[in-house]
Amino acid sequence: MTTPRTANAAISSRKRPVQLPPLGKLSEPQIRGRDCVWCSITLAPGRVVDLGEQYARRAGQRFAWFPRACSRCGKEGSS
Ligand SMILES: [Zn+2]
């Protein structure tokens, strides 16, 4: 039996998937979610937008990463 994959209840639900910058352009702290994926500032606690689990390919390998954004960048697209 297979269990259907239900999406985790996200804090902020988006209608469109977030367009993230290519991994090759990101620094290690950005990939780790310490810095904003877009403006690369170091994220302050409480002002972080979690973009959720993302999948990317690097060197032919698929892996998960957890990008985060500052509240300013993460606000784009939300109403
Ligand atoms: Zn930002």
Side-chain angles (χ1 to χ4, degrees):
M1 271 225 172
T2 52
T3 49
R5 257 194 92 164
T6 50
N8 293 334
I11 295 170
S12 60
S13 55
R14 291 168 180 278
K15 287 176 182 175
R16 288 183 297 176
V18 188
Q19 196 65 44
L20 294 162
L23 266 190
K25 295 193 170 185
L26 299 177
S27 66
E28 197 64 32
Q30 285 176 302
I31 294 169
R32 286 161 173 243
R34 202 199 73 180
D35 293 358
C36 175
V37 277
W38 286 295
C39 69
S40 79
I41 65 157
T42 300
L43 296 167
R47 304 190 64 185
V48 175
V49 178
D50 199 330
L51 300 173
E53 188 177 19
Q54 305 288 329
Y55 290 96
R57 247 189 269 170
R58 193 197 237 172
Q61 300 251 346
R62 194 164 178 263
F63 74 103
W65 60 298
F66 302 87
R68 300 201 298 172
C70 66
S71 52
R72 203 168 130 199
C73 293
K75 233 186 254 178
E76 276 180 31
S78 68
S79 52

